C-alpha cells in the first residue's frame, strides 16, 4: 500500500456503529463499502427486532457531533428525559420523579433505534465514497487475503477485500468469531439470569403521551423491573427485565406455552396461549404493575407474541488482526464489547469507538495499522471493560434501589455535595451520561464518592433529616464533608 | 427410549478421557462407539504432538481403579516422583530435593501420554460393546437429531447418532463449540502470557537416567522456568514455560526466524536458523540452565524444530444439552474445563469426571439424562473451577517460590504442623495430589492453612531456626500452633 492512494475500507454491518463509521472514514478520503445482513430498513420497514429502546447521551452525541449530526438527531429523533419516574407497586402511592442532575439541561434522550439508523444510513449514502449493500450475511473472514465472505439471499457467496475490514456487526459478530479462532485470543461471554421482553403503551388521543413524556419510567420490583421510554408518536416502548426462572419469571407465565410449541410438529398450527394463560398475565401485571395495566390494551397479545431475549456481556482481546502486508481487521462497538443495557451506554460507547478510531486513522493514515489499531485498543478496551462493569452494577440500582427511601436520601446527599463542591464531586451517573471523561475515570470517581458517602451519611442519617429545614441540613452536609476532607485529603 | 434396552453412546475423542469413559460405559451395558480425529496411534506412531508430560496422581488412579487399570499403569507405564528437585541458576550451588510429603509412598507418577493412551485403547477394544474408529474429525453436532458429523480423511461426511453423545474432545472441543452457539451458554477462554516448548534430555548409556530419576526437576527462574519429567527409556522430557515476549522470552530467541518463515513464499524452502541464532540459544541456556546444557546435545535443533504452544484456561456452562426426547449431549475433561498444567491435574481431573459420570449413569440409567447430567455438572463444575484456580496459582509457586529459602522454610513449618497435627492440617498440595477430597475442599483448606502459617511464621522466623536443634524447633512450632488454635478454634 502506498500512502498517497485512497484506502479501501470494508465495514461489516450497517447498524448504528457501522453507518456512523462509514461517514467518518469516507470524509477522510477512504473508499468505503458497507455490507449489511438485513434488508434496507428504508425499503423493508425496520426489522431490528428485539432492540431495546436507546438512550442517547453525551458520548453518543460527541460521536455524532464529529460528523455534524448531533443537533439533527436531537431535533428530529429524540425526546429528552431529564430524570427517572419511579412507579410504586401500590396504585395509591405517589409517583416519584428523580432528576438525573441539578441542571435540567442534563438529559438522556430517548431515540428509536430504527429511526436513528435510517438517519445515519441516509447521511452515509450522501457521501460519494460510500457504497452500502444489503442482504449480505457475513459467514467468515479470510484473514490471509483480508477479505470477508458474504452469503446472498439466493445462497451465493461473495468475497470482498479491503485494506481495512471493520467488524461493526454486533454482539454475535461473525468477524469476532473468526478472530476468536486465532491462537491466544482471550474471550468471554456471560449471560444474565434475567431476560427481557418488549411491550407497548400506545399513544393516547392526538398522539398524547399517556404518562409523563419527559422521563424514563421505572417500575422497580426488587429482583426484576419494567421500564418505559417515550416515543415521538406518543407511544412508550416498555421493557420487562425478569428472571428466566423462579418467582416473577418468564417461565412462570409463558413456560407451558413454550413447552407446547417445542412439542408441536413442524406442520402443526403454532399452539396459542389459552384464555387462562392470558388471564394469568393480566392478573400478574395487575398485582405488580397496577398503574400500567389500563394503559396496555394489547398486553396479553404482546406478551405472548414478542420474544424473550437474553442479555450478554462479551469481553475479548485482541480486537484486531494485522497481516504482514499491512492490511488488517478490527472490531468495534458491540462486536468488541457487548454490554447489558442498564446504563444506556451500548450505543454511546460504540459511537465513542467510531470517533476515536476515525481520529486515530485521520492522524496516522492507514499505512501503519499495526500501531494505530493497537493504540485504538489500548485507549478503548479499559473503558469498554469499565462501562461493562458499571452496566452490570446499575441493574441492581434500577430494579431494586431506585424504589427505596434510603437510596433517595443517599442521592439527595450526593447531589447536595455536588452542588456545594461542584469542582470536587461529580456523581458517577453524571460523569457517565453527561460528560465524556473516560469511563475508567467515571468508575474510579464513582467508587471514591461511594466511600465518601459511606462516611458522611452515618453522621447525618435519614432519620434526622425531616426535622431540619433544608438550609440547615445543607449547612450540616457542608460541615461534615469539609471535616471528612480534612481527615483524608483528596 | 425404553429402559430395558441397552443404550447407545457416542464418544467424540479417543484420547485419555474418551477411552476410559468407553470402558466404564461398555461394562454398564451401553453400546459405545468412539470416534477419533487422529489415526490409530498403535499403527501410526503416537502423534499427540505438543502434549506436556503427565503426572498421574491419586485422582487419576481412582479413575483408573474403577476399571481395574491403576495397578497395571503404575507397574508398566509410570515412574514415581516423590518430590521436586530444584536446580539453582549457579552450577556450583547444590540441588535441593523437596519431598512432596512426609510419607515417601506419596508420589506423583510420570507417565507418557502416548503410552497411557495406548494402554486405555487396548483395554477399551477388549470390551465387546466398544467400537473405535479413527481418522474421523468431528465438524459439527446436530443437536436436533442428537448426531455428530465427522469428516473422513477422504473428505466424506459421516453422521453418527446416539442416545448420549459425550464430547471428550479436548481443549478445542468441536462438541463444546456447538454448545457455545446455544443461547445463554456462558463461556470464557483465557490465555497466559507464557507459552511452552518441549525439549529433551536423552538417556545415558544402558538407558540410565542422566539426573535423579525419581523426581520432578524444576529450574525456577522467577518469571519463567524449565521442568523435566523422567521417561522409562532413560530420557527426560523437558518443558520450557517462558513468556512469549520480553526478557527470557521465546520471541527473543526465535522471533526473527518466525518472521522469516512467515515472510517466505509457499514454495520457498523453509528458512532455517542461522548459526548465530543457534549459538544464541545455547548461550542463553548456558547462562540460565548451566547444569542442563551438557545433558542436551540436540538443544538448538529441538528448540527451533519444536513448536511453541499456548496455555489456555477454558470455563463454560452448561456442560450439557438435553433434547425433549431424552437424548443428550455432554462434555467432560478438557472439553468442559481446560486448565493450565502447573498442578499436574488436567488428566487426573478428567479421569475423576469419567468415573463420576459413569457412576451416576450406573445408578440412574440413561433414562433421565436431564437430571443425571445436571447432577454431574452440579458435582463437577465447582471442582473444575477450583482446580483451574489452583493450577494458575501454582505456576507462581513453581517458577518463582520453589527456588527461595523463605518458601522452603514455610514448607518446613507446614510439614511440621502436618506431622504434629495430622488430623487437623493437610497441605493443599497433598490434598490435591494424594487424596480424592473434592478440589473445592482442598482449595478451602489450603487457604485456611496459608492464613494460619501467616500467623505462625512471624513468631518463629527463618532467622531464628538455624540456632535451634530440630527437636526444640518442632516443640516451639507445636506450642505456637496450639496457642493460635486456642485463640481461633478450627
Amino acid at each position: 500500500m502506498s500512502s498517497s492512494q485512497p484506502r479501501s475500507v470494508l465495514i461489516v454491518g450497517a447498524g448504528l456503529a457501522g453507518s456512523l463509521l462509514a461517514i467518518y472514514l469516507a470524509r477522510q478520503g477512504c473508499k468505503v463499502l458497507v455490507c449489511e445482513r438485513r434488508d434496507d430498513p428504508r425499503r423493508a420497514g425496520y426489522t431490528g427486532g428485539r432492540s431495546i429502546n436507546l438512550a442517547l447521551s453525551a458520548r453518543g452525541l460527541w460521536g455524532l457531533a464529529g460528523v455534524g449530526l448531533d443537533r439533527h438527531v436531537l431535533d428530529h429523533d429524540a425526546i429528552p428525559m431529564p430524570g427517572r419516574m419511579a412507579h410504586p407497586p401500590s396504585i395509591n402511592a405517589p409517583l416519584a420523579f428523580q432528576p438525573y442532575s441539578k441542571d435540567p439541561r442534563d438529559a438522556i434522550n430517548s431515540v428509536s433505534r430504527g429511526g436513528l439508523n435510517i438517519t445515519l444510513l441516509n447521511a452515509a449514502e450522501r457521501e460519494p465514497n460510500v457504497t452500502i449493500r444489503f442482504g449480505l450475511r457475513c459467514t467468515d473472514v479470510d484473514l490471509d487475503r483480508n477479505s470477508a465472505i458474504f452469503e446472498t439471499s439466493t445462497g451465493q457467496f461473495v468475497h470482498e477485500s479491503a485494506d481495512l475490514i471493520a467488524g461493526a456487526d454486533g454482539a454475535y459478530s461473525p468477524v469476532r468469531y473468526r478472530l476468536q479462532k486465532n491462537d491466544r485470543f482471550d474471550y468471554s461471554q456471560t449471560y444474565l439470569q434475567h431476560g427481557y421482553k418488549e411491550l407497548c403503551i400506545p399513544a393516547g388521543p392526538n398522539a398524547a403521551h399517556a404518562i409523563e413524556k419527559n422521563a424514563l419510567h421505572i417500575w422497580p420490583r426488587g429482583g426484576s423491573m419494567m421500564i418505559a421510554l417515550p416515543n415521538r408518536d406518543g407511544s412508550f416502548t416498555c421493557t420487562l427485565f425478569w428472571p428466566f426462572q423462579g418467582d416473577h419469571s418468564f417461565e412462570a407465565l409463558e413456560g407451558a406455552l413454550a413447552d407446547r410449541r417445542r412439542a408441536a410438529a413442524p406442520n402443526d398450527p403454532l399452539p396459542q396461549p389459552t384464555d387462562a394463560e392470558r388471564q394469568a398475565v393480566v392478573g400478574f401485571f395487575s398485582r405488580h404493575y397496577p398503574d400500567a395495566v389500563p394503559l396496555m390494551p394489547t398486553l396479553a397479545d404482546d406478551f405472548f407474541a414478542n420474544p424473550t431475549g437474553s442479555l450478554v456481556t462479551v469481553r475479548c482481546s485482541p480486537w484486531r488482526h494485522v497481516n504482514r502486508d499491512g492490511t488488517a481487521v478490527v472490531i468495534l462497538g458491540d462486536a468488541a464489547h457487548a454490554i447489558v443495557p442498564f446504563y444506556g451506554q451500548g450505543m454511546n460507547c460504540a459511537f465513542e469507538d467510531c470517533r476515536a478510531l476515525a481520529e486515530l486513522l485521520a492522524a496516522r493514515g492507514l499505512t501503519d495499522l499495526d500501531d494505530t489499531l493497537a493504540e485504538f485498543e489500548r485507549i478503548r478496551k479499559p473503558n469498554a471493560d469499565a462501562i461493562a462493569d458499571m452496566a452490570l452494577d446499575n441493574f441492581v440500582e434500577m430494579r431494586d434501589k431506585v424504589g427505596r427511601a434510603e437510596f433517595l436520601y443517599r442521592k439527595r446527599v450526593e447531589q447536595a455535595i455536588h452542588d456545594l463542591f461542584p469542582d470536587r464531586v461529580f456523581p458517577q451517573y453524571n460523569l457517565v451520561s453527561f460528560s465524556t471523561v473516560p469511563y475508567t475515570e467515571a468508575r474510579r470517581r464513582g467508587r471514591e464518592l461511594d466511600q465518601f458517602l459511606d462516611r458522611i451519611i452515618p453522621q447525618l442519617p435519614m432519620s434526622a433529616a425531616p426535622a431540619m429545614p433544608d438550609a440547615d441540613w445543607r449547612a450540616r452536609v457542608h460541615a461534615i464533608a469539609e471535616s471528612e476532607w480534612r481527615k483524608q485529603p483528596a
Side-chain angles (χ1 to χ4, degrees), chain A residues 75-128:
Chain A
D75 290 346
H76 293 86
D77 297 323
I79 297 179
M81 301 181 290
R84 297 164 169 161
M85 186 74 82
H87 294 245
S90 161
I91 204 154
N92 298 318
L95 301 193
F97 183 75
Q98 305 167 16
Y100 286 125
S101 167
K102 69 186 170 112
D103 183 342
R105 289 167 305 178
D106 282 344
I108 61 176
N109 301 282
S110 177
V111 295
S112 136
R113 171 189 280 267
L116 180 55
N117 203 354
I118 287 172
T119 298
L120 290 170
L121 286 171
N122 287 336
E125 285 203 328
R126 279 196 297 270
E127 299 297 324

Side-chain angles (χ1 to χ4, degrees), chain A residues 141-358:
Chain A
V141 176
D142 182 339
L143 293 179
D144 292 331
R145 297 204 170 87
N146 221 60
S147 65
I149 302 160
F150 299 92
E151 186 176 6
T152 69
S153 57
T154 56
Q156 283 163 319
F157 287 87
V158 178
H159 292 244
E160 294 290 349
S161 301
D163 297 329
L164 174 64
I165 298 178
D169 47 348
Y172 298 93
S173 163
V175 176
R176 182 190 70 226
Y177 166 66
R178 176 60 193 82
L179 295 184
Q180 195 183 323
K181 294 182 182 169
N182 282 353
D183 192 27
R184 298 171 62 202
F185 184 81
D186 283 350
Y187 176 75
S188 79
Q189 60 184 37
T190 312
Y191 286 85
L192 291 191
Q193 302 294 313
H194 288 70
Y196 75 93
K197 185 192 285 283
E198 290 192 357
L199 299 171
C200 177
I201 294 177
N206 303 316
H209 288 85
I211 49 179
E212 170 59 43
K213 171 186 176 186
N214 292 111
L216 187 154
H217 294 264
I218 310 188
W219 289 256
R221 294 299 178 263
S224 58
M225 67 176 179
M226 180 167 76
I227 66 170
L229 274 72
N231 298 313
R232 289 174 73 103
D233 67 0
S235 68
F236 285 82
T237 303
C238 307
T239 311
L240 303 175
F241 295 97
W242 288 4
F244 281 105
Q245 264 111 39
D247 285 345
H248 208 128
S249 76
F250 286 113
E251 187 181 71
L253 290 179
E254 63 183 359
L257 176 63
D259 282 346
R260 293 203 304 281
R261 288 185 169 169
R262 274 194 295 269
N267 293 330
D268 288 351
L270 190 70
Q272 295 302 315
T274 63
D275 284 349
E277 283 167 340
R278 297 170 57 90
Q279 281 157 20
V281 168
V282 176
F284 186 88
F285 274 73
S286 299
R287 282 195 301 284
H288 295 287
Y289 309 97
D291 62 330
V293 172
L295 311 176
M296 304 173 86
T298 56
L299 169 61
D301 292 333
D302 295 346
F303 188 89
F304 290 109
N306 293 349
T308 302
S310 54
L311 296 159
V312 71
T313 301
V314 170
R315 301 176 203 251
C316 66
S317 179
W319 291 355
R320 63 194 191 276
H321 172 86
V322 181
N323 295 301
R324 285 184 56 83
D325 66 359
T327 61
V329 175
V330 67
I331 51 176
L332 73 162
D334 282 0
H337 46 73
I339 63 178
V340 295
F342 305 109
Y343 227 118
Q345 287 295 314
M347 168 186 63
N348 289 288
C349 183
F351 283 1
E352 267 196 338
D353 281 358
C354 290
R355 183 161 173 178
L357 179 59

Side-chain angles (χ1 to χ4, degrees), chain A residues 2-164:
Chain A
S2 123
S3 66
S4 61
Q5 287 173 344
R7 297 281 172 271
S8 63
V9 177
L10 169 63
I11 298 175
V12 182
L16 299 173
S19 8
L20 179 59
L21 185 64
I23 302 169
Y24 272 108
L25 298 187
R27 292 192 187 167
Q28 294 173 201
C30 298
K31 192 94 186 144
V32 181
L33 172 64
V34 190
C35 294
E36 163 62 39
R37 176 167 59 89
R38 296 196 178 90
D39 291 329
D40 189 339
R42 295 164 297 185
R43 292 212 245 157
Y46 189 73
T47 57
R50 301 189 292 173
S51 77
I52 296 175
N53 246 26
L54 301 172
L56 178 64
S57 53
R59 292 159 202 275
L61 290 167
W62 178 80
L64 292 171
V67 295
L69 281 174
D70 52 328
R71 203 61 256 167
H72 176 90
V73 169
L74 283 179
D75 290 346
H76 293 86
D77 297 323
I79 297 179
M81 301 181 290
R84 297 164 169 161
M85 186 74 82
H87 294 245
S90 161
I91 204 154
N92 298 318
L95 301 193
F97 183 75
Q98 305 167 16
Y100 286 125
S101 167
K102 69 186 170 112
D103 183 342
R105 289 167 305 178
D106 282 344
I108 61 176
N109 301 282
S110 177
V111 295
S112 136
R113 171 189 280 267
L116 180 55
N117 203 354
I118 287 172
T119 298
L120 290 170
L121 286 171
N122 287 336
E125 285 203 328
R126 279 196 297 270
E127 299 297 324
N129 279 341
V130 172
T131 305
I132 309 179
R133 292 169 58 194
F134 294 91
L136 291 177
R137 185 177 70 87
C138 181
T139 59
D140 203 356
V141 176
D142 182 339
L143 293 179
D144 292 331
R145 297 204 170 87
N146 221 60
S147 65
I149 302 160
F150 299 92
E151 186 176 6
T152 69
S153 57
T154 56
Q156 283 163 319
F157 287 87
V158 178
H159 292 244
E160 294 290 349
S161 301
D163 297 329
L164 174 64

